Amino acid sequence: MGEKTALALEKNKDQNKILVSELYQILAQIKLGGGKAKLEKIRSEGKMTARERVNYLLDDPSKSIEIGALAGYEMYEEEGGCPSGGVIVIMGYVSQKLCVIVANDASVKAGAWFPISAKKNLRAQEIALENKIPILYLVDSAGVFLPRQDEIFPDKEHFGRIFRNNAQMSSEGIVQIAAVMGSCVAGGAYLPIMSDEAIIVDKTASIFLAGSYLVKAAIGEEIDNQTLGGATTHSEISGITDYKAKDDKDALNRIKALMHKIGDQPKAGFNRTQAILPQYKEEDIYALLPTDKTVPYDTYEIINRLIDHDSMDEYKADYGKTIITGFARIDGWAVGIVANQRKMVQDQNGETQFGGVIYGDAADKSTRFIANCNQRKIPLVFLQDVTGFMVGSKAEHSGIIKDGAKMVNAMANSVVPKFTVIIGNSNGAGNYAMCGKAFDPRLIVAWPGSKIAVMGGNQAAKVLLQIEKSKLKKEGENIDPKKEKKLLEEIKSRYDNQTRAYYAAARLWTDAIIDPLETRKWISIGIEAANSSALDRKFNMGILQV
């Protein structure tokens, strides 16, 4: 190893560790919810905090993953922020059953629903629906955040969709258990009642369409909230709830007991053997992955630190080399790997192909490989570091659009579960072909420092600069070189911010930003969830231009 290479590896390692450290610092702050004072206030009322409830419910918190922890990050700052979207979503084990837990965080605006809160709740339900696994609701919410009601109430993917999903999950036999552990008001009151079973905590929880103040204003009746809709009322008079709990722990213990008696469902039957650690240390990823997203590297080195030792059977290794395809194992699960090769390669004619670019031969190979995985019932794992499809006359004349369309078609129609890890760039149509968010990966995560955009920052900034210059010129303003440089820097800074992994995670374009060392865990839990239900569709690619 040359001195220059050793220095580059050490630099990568230091920079990636800094990125991971920053991630953990941000997550630690987010986990404080509305702040220490508000958490203490909740405890002083005899209640557990949202995260305490979730951790008590889980068999082992270390064997769980958190969906959307960064939802709402750096958003709604004029309202004081909305850490984690005001709701915690965890996939983990309760009484040895893998399930989704949704817990309102009352320390954040009393658990009020912001637009991102609704989106996150819908994502949690989507995961339960796709995998047919139980979903548990720990309800403690003041309802819709009224100043933003127009962004959360009436549209298809807004608040009402949650109740539609409640009904559909019930019809499909997906277990839903709700524990009302605080406020549950207005439209939100339907969620626990549309669940299979509802638990309510005595004295600290209540359910009603309108609280005592609104009741007095509307019809003149004077009544306190507990008499109106407390645990005794709904357990003994209305019959709305099924169990009355004396406190939070009693309610959570009731959920555990109910989960313990749930029977097994038919499995998908994905292949799993004894897990084996990767051949090389996973920590090496920090050194091997450049933080400069324009620098090439060998993707095989990354793959060898994610898959079980000696488990790779590469498919068409000498053809379409800008995408690596192969059968392997991750934590014992059989998977099909589709990964962008980021170093320069030679095609079958000896011509150089750029790393991270999808060429026609690579797209053609990937189409066949995806079909094979569906034929053999093998889940797909996409490792994204893609700058897009090849452009230019040679690529166009050879049918790059047709080859790309075939790959997108195969990936979109895949019936085996798909998992996407964005390890570097995720640009343009490459994002689509490599199973971006629009193509329903069961889970999609990003590594710190990754970027998601229609094109790279430098190219986009130059295009946007030309548009801005043209506009200013029409307005009669001259642009000298100094002003042009400043304008370019401003445009690039704004664009670069929108391509950050955190910007995407805040808007739930990804489920999480994760430490690369957590990748195997996420994929393994994801496949186990997907294995919880039998595959009910056949793979069919439809009509193709061949």
Side-chain angles (χ1 to χ4, degrees), residues 334-518:
V335 297
I337 303 281
V338 182
N340 301 111
Q341 171 58 290
R342 282 290 283 114
K343 73 172 187 178
M344 306 275 269
V345 296
Q346 302 290 319
D347 69 8
Q348 53 270 29
N349 299 316
E351 295 186 13
T352 299
Q353 293 183 332
F354 297 101
V357 178
I358 302 176
Y359 288 75
D361 53 359
D364 179 68
K365 174 175 78 170
S366 299
T367 301
R368 180 63 182 267
F369 178 72
I370 291 167
N372 281 345
C373 286
N374 276 271
Q375 181 83 350
R376 301 173 193 181
K377 206 155 66 172
I378 299 173
L380 286 157
V381 175
F382 292 83
L383 302 178
Q384 278 198 19
D385 193 346
V386 58
T387 55
F389 282 85
M390 189 57 190
V391 297
S393 61
K394 184 176 179 181
E396 298 291 358
H397 295 172
S398 65
I400 186 67
I401 296 175
K402 178 177 66 177
D403 292 328
K406 286 192 293 185
M407 180 180 175
V408 171
N409 193 309
M411 180 274 303
N413 283 302
S414 177
V415 298
V416 295
K418 302 173 296 225
F419 302 89
T420 303
V421 183
I422 303 171
I423 66 180
N425 299 297
S426 179
N427 292 349
N431 168 282
Y432 299 160
M434 292 294 294
C435 196
K437 178 74 171 181
F439 292 87
D440 298 323
R442 295 292 177 100
L443 293 171
I444 177 169
V445 296
W447 287 358
S450 59
K451 294 181 179 294
I452 304 172
V454 71
M455 65 176 71
N458 289 327
Q459 303 97 304
K462 288 175 182 176
V463 172
L464 291 168
L465 176 65
Q466 294 306 314
I467 294 170
E468 187 65 20
K469 282 172 63 180
S470 177
K471 176 187 170 186
L472 292 172
K473 189 176 180 180
K474 286 180 180 177
E475 292 171 356
E477 187 173 341
N478 286 326
I479 309 294
D480 59 41
K482 186 177 178 180
K483 187 168 183 178
E484 181 175 325
K485 182 182 178 183
K486 184 183 177 185
L487 196 57
L488 180 62
E489 288 172 353
E490 289 173 355
I491 291 170
K492 189 174 185 305
S493 175
R494 187 167 62 248
Y495 187 87
D496 284 347
N497 179 58
Q498 293 176 358
T499 69
R500 294 168 62 229
Y502 287 97
Y503 190 91
R507 289 153 181 80
L508 289 172
W509 301 344
T510 60
D511 291 315
I513 301 174
I514 65 169
D515 182 341
L517 307 189
E518 293 284 294

Side-chain angles (χ1 to χ4, degrees), residues 182-199:
S183 297
C184 183
V185 302
Y190 289 103
L191 185 145
I193 313 313
M194 294 188 72
S195 299
D196 302 328
E197 292 179 279
I199 302 160

Side-chain angles (χ1 to χ4, degrees), residues 254-273:
R254 174 70 69 177
I255 293 176
K256 290 181 181 183
L258 293 170
M259 289 290 289
H260 191 259
K261 298 173 181 66
I262 294 173
D264 285 334
Q265 299 290 335
K267 305 293 184 186
F270 301 128
N271 184 288
R272 192 180 196 185
T273 59

